[in-house]
Amino acid sequence: MNGEELTEQETALYDRQIRVWGADAQRRLSKSHILVYGMKGTVAEFCKNIVLAGVGSVTLVDDREVTDEALSANFLILPDENLYHGKTLAEVCCDSLKEFNPMVHVSVEKGDISTFGVEFFGKFDAVVISCCSLAKKKLINQKCRKLSKRVAFYTVDCRGSCGEIFVDLKDYKYSKKKLEETVECQLEFPSFEDTISVPWKALPKRVSKLYFAMRVIEQFEDAEGRNPGETSIADLPGVLKLRKELCETNSVNESQIPDALLERLLIGASEYPPVCAIIGGILGQEVIKAISGKGDPLKNFFFFDAMDGKGLIEDISEPKPVS
Amino acid sequence: MADAAPPSKSRDLDKLLLRPGNLVGPTFDPGVQLRDDLQEYARVLVVGAGGLGCELLKDLALSGFKNLEVIDMDRIEVTNLNRQFLFRLEDVGKPKAEVAAKRVMERVSGVIIVPHFCRIEDKDIEFYNDFNIIALGLDSIEARSYINAVACSFLEYDSDDNPREETMKPMVDGGTEGFKGHARVIVPGVTPCFECTIWLFPPQVKFPLCTLAETPRNAAHCIEYAHLIKWDEVHSGQAFDPDNPDHMKWVYDEAVKRAELFGIPGVTYSLTQGVVKNIIPAIASTNAIISAACTLETLKIASGCSKTLSNYLTAMISTVKTALCRYNGVEGLHTKVTEFVKDKDCLVCGPGVLIELDTTVTLKK
């Protein structure tokens, strides 16, 4: 977008949301660049929300081919084989997203994201990754953290009727409204690697069981060399064995991570459309807050389980030393 | 059981329905039969094709519902496009219900969506009785009251004042404003109806005339003075048209003058439009979340039932003690789930109060 002021077209189109977050936030959004990896249903929802919000650009990375499975939860893909044949997931989603808001620059980046250098990530204000192995999550997070500029980092994953978001904003200064006045705040976010290294025993007992269950499945996929989401009920014995080991190492009771929950996550490797919409909506909101620098960000994990309909925020970080 | 079932396109939904799970009630009987019922027999009406309606249609279609209808009396405007993602710039002026239905059918194979471009009051009461579930994406209390009254009118009680299950018409109600929203389930006769809980809504802003006329304190007072009092004084006879930019500009100029007189800051053209048209600030993400929550509730209702409502009733009582779920995206995040109790004296959904009246008594008395 040229110039500092919003154009007349933007002011008309964004009227209803400018009334929510103000013209200043809208300007910042229109200058922001978002990188998105892994175009499954949840990420498709997220992209819809930020494109409608009017970010500057969205760059999509996903070289996988379109499959029947992708069609069932991804609204961006028209179920016409003639249209999607020969195209990658990113390419098909790109075409759709452009229609939602012609003012947003939507493009595709091809290649293996693990090989992209630090400077590549430096082009973005926010990086959102999904369908990523444990190793890839750590790697991309580290690259983002190496930059002096703050690049907001998010992972998002849905397994069946459960979803998880992780947020890393490094050292984050922002403002928020408290009663009549505006207050300046600051938060320090741990990296993904540091977060998952926090000993389980150090965490409060009431921490969402989903946190632990997701970590078990994640490590199982890592140990077995599986692509993210490539699990089935046949893996349950192996997963239960890993749970036993991890709980012993962490000195916590195995009942912290119920069998039934692990089963649901193993079977539900594909996504449940309403859960995609909820997680994609929450993630959209978080990215908008981070770009505009207003409002308390989610720190640092969010969990949703469609069974009870509850959304939980968990702050998984090293407990502060008692002075 | 799962091995015998023919594979379906929506494998993840199959996994949900083809094995017993906690998402549905104790009487739920999983099987291929039920999955086909869900897709072929469940008829859902979506009321409103705006911010919530567009999201609802998408979510319901992707979740496997095959028979949807949508009703909305409005045409598409530019200011809708920041969240009503089924509409494009070139659709401005067209009926929302028709474009929404068309776009979703293009993107989800197998779903049939019948649009109705009209007011909700224009339909016969019996039209609403045709549906198993009514999902609401409305933006006013009046519209909700109306649908609530219609749905509750189908409810019958037996001689012991117990609601008859087969006459219950469940509604799933979503509402949003800015970062805030709610999703709730209403089963007439079981949960509180909309009227039972109307006190939950924040008081609607209506300024006392004396404040407008004598003692304005803020910008909105100045605007409403110009809109509700000064306009008629100067334009006696001519109705104020909020869609006429000249009328709006006149109100704005008058509001500015009044604000200057009383030393009140903050009157802008944007605020003038907002106050006069009662504009609700709105963003895509809140609508997406609330609609999805409504869809989850609709799925729970539908998958708990076969062709009558009786099977899912017990499911309703256990899963929907959570009658109200609230979302607030600005102060961190709350999804709070609260239990409410039906008001047995409610005039709309209660069995009624027996009045024995002497037929010689007239209203005057």
Side-chain angles (χ1 to χ4, degrees), chain B residues 272-350:
Chain B
T272 304
Q273 286 177 309
V275 169
V276 168
K277 290 193 190 189
N278 199 24
I279 292 178
I280 302 172
I283 57 180
S285 41
T286 315
N287 282 330
I289 293 162
I290 295 300
S291 303
C294 288
T295 301
L296 279 173
E297 294 309 317
T298 309
L299 268 163
K300 286 180 195 177
I301 295 170
S303 53
C305 75
S306 50
K307 283 167 202 171
T308 66
L309 301 180
S310 54
N311 280 3
Y312 78 70
L313 188 64
T314 29
M316 285 307 302
I317 294 170
S318 56
T319 58
V320 190
K321 274 186 153 91
T322 62
L324 182 72
C325 161
R326 264 177 286 148
Y327 164 72
N328 181 331
V330 81
E331 308 146 6
L333 189 99
H334 302 296
T335 56
K336 190 181 173 203
V337 155
T338 321
E339 177 175 350
F340 289 93
V341 175
K342 178 174 165 314
D343 177 359
K344 62 174 168 43
D345 295 323
C346 174
L347 288 175
V348 178
C349 73

Side-chain angles (χ1 to χ4, degrees), chain A residues 13 16-17 19-20 45 48 52 69 75 79 96 99-100 270-272 274 278 281 285 289 302 307 311, chain B residues 11-13 16 22 55 58 81-82 85 88 106-107 179 270 279 281-283 285 292 299 329 333 335:
Chain A
L13 185 68
R16 297 301 188 260
Q17 64 201 39
R19 289 171 192 275
V20 176
E45 281 285 334
K48 161 180 67 73
L52 288 172
E69 176 131 7
F75 192 68
S96 255
E99 287 182 19
F100 290 167
S270 55
E271 298 165 303
Y272 197 33
I278 287 173
Q285 204 37 53
K289 278 195 277 190
F302 173 78
M307 256 178 37
Chain B
R11 284 209 293 275
D12 46 357
L13 205 57
L16 185 72
N22 296 349
E55 294 279 347
K58 158 183 62 78
L81 303 179
N82 80 321
F85 66 97
R88 311 276 170 262
E106 278 169 7
R107 285 177 186 264
F179 291 112
S270 173
I279 292 178
I283 57 180
S285 41
L299 268 163
L333 189 99
T335 56

Side-chain angles (χ1 to χ4, degrees), chain B residues 35-295:
Chain B
R35 187 198 66 214
D36 289 340
D37 280 356
L38 177 75
Q39 292 175 340
E40 284 166 33
Y41 295 118
R43 296 168 52 79
V44 181
L45 174 67
V46 175
V47 185
L52 287 164
C54 286
E55 294 279 347
L56 276 167
L57 286 169
K58 158 183 62 78
D59 292 340
L60 291 167
L62 282 176
S63 297
F65 288 92
K66 297 293 188 209
N67 299 291
L68 303 174
E69 300 195 25
V70 58
I71 178 168
D72 193 310
M73 64 181 189
D74 284 334
R75 292 179 182 274
I76 299 164
E77 296 174 18
V78 167
T79 53
N80 298 148
L81 303 179
N82 80 321
R83 63 207 184 279
Q84 298 170 26
F85 66 97
L86 296 174
F87 310 142
R88 311 276 170 262
L89 197 55
E90 53 268 23
D91 295 324
V92 170
K94 296 182 193 164
K96 287 189 181 183
E98 290 170 14
V99 179
K102 175 165 158 262
R103 286 274 152 69
V104 177
M105 285 193 283
E106 278 169 7
R107 285 177 186 264
V108 183
S109 50
V111 67
I112 298 172
I113 309 180
V114 179
H116 301 270
F117 172 45
C118 62
R119 300 166 68 237
I120 52 181
E121 298 89 342
D122 293 340
K123 290 293 190 189
D124 259 348
I125 304 281
E126 276 315 301
F127 166 78
Y128 294 99
N129 210 5
D130 236 354
F131 299 98
N132 301 117
I133 303 165
I134 301 178
L136 310 183
L138 292 166
D139 58 1
S140 76
I141 291 185
E142 295 77 27
R144 286 184 175 89
S145 274
Y146 181 83
I147 298 284
N148 180 69
V150 168
C152 291
S153 73
F154 301 129
L155 183 67
E156 289 168 16
Y157 285 82
D158 63 22
S159 46
D160 295 320
D161 272 355
N162 292 320
R164 286 179 45 218
E165 294 166 5
E166 63 277 16
T167 64
M168 294 176 186
K169 185 78 62 192
M171 290 171 278
V172 182
D173 173 52
T176 65
E177 176 167 346
F179 291 112
K180 299 182 191 173
H182 77 264
R184 62 189 289 194
V185 177
I186 297 174
V187 182
V190 178
T191 69
C193 80
F194 184 72
E195 293 302 322
C196 296
T197 51
I198 200 157
W199 53 269
L200 277 172
F201 282 90
Q204 301 300 283
V205 173
K206 234 185 160 75
F207 303 121
L209 269 175
C210 52
T211 307
L212 300 184
E214 311 287 337
T215 48
R217 289 186 306 280
N218 61 35
H221 294 154
C222 301
I223 293 165
E224 287 292 61
Y225 167 79
H227 169 219
L228 298 173
I229 298 177
K230 193 79 194 241
W231 175 272
D232 284 329
E233 277 176 22
V234 174
H235 299 89
S236 59
Q238 188 187 18
F240 172 78
D241 177 7
D243 292 318
N244 184 327
D246 293 329
H247 289 200
M248 190 65 73
K249 177 88 175 43
W250 186 93
V251 166
Y252 167 67
D253 291 336
E254 284 302 318
V256 167
K257 282 187 211 160
R258 187 156 178 87
E260 276 170 13
L261 191 63
F262 284 86
I264 296 171
V267 174
T268 62
Y269 189 73
S270 173
L271 184 66
T272 304
Q273 286 177 309
V275 169
V276 168
K277 290 193 190 189
N278 199 24
I279 292 178
I280 302 172
I283 57 180
S285 41
T286 315
N287 282 330
I289 293 162
I290 295 300
S291 303
C294 288
T295 301

